[in-house]
Amino acid sequence: EVTSVPGPSIPLVLTGTNQLLAGGNDGTLYQFDVTNPGATLKSRALGSGVIGSPGLDGTNNLAVMGSSAGIIYAVSVPLP
């Protein structure tokens, strides 16, 4: 159970890793290690508004997600 993400989106598991991503309603993308439940591994502030469920562009190693502010983000994954 993860309680550190305000209003979490549906998570995305990064294929071939122990990482998952979820957007929050605070404009942040969160990354977790599934072998250490409940601990935020990394996060990246993207902007304002709710960050939707990320999708994966596996060719370019990008997580792609939209926000309630009408912005579409593409972020390199896993987060550095």
Side-chain angles (χ1 to χ4, degrees):
E1 182 176 329
V2 175
T3 59
S4 59
V5 179
S9 70
I10 296 170
L12 169 71
V13 176
L14 296 176
T15 306
T17 73
N18 292 329
Q19 313 300 309
L20 67 83
L21 302 172
N25 67 7
D26 61 349
T28 302
L29 178 65
Y30 293 89
Q31 181 176 299
F32 301 91
D33 184 332
V34 297
T35 62
N36 187 11
T40 303
L41 182 62
K42 297 182 180 182
S43 63
R44 181 162 176 194
L46 299 177
S48 61
V50 176
I51 302 299
S53 299
L56 183 63
D57 172 353
T59 302
N60 298 302
N61 293 324
L62 296 172
V64 181
M65 69 238 66
S67 75
S68 62
I71 300 168
I72 297 173
Y73 296 99
V75 178
S76 293
V77 291
L79 296 178

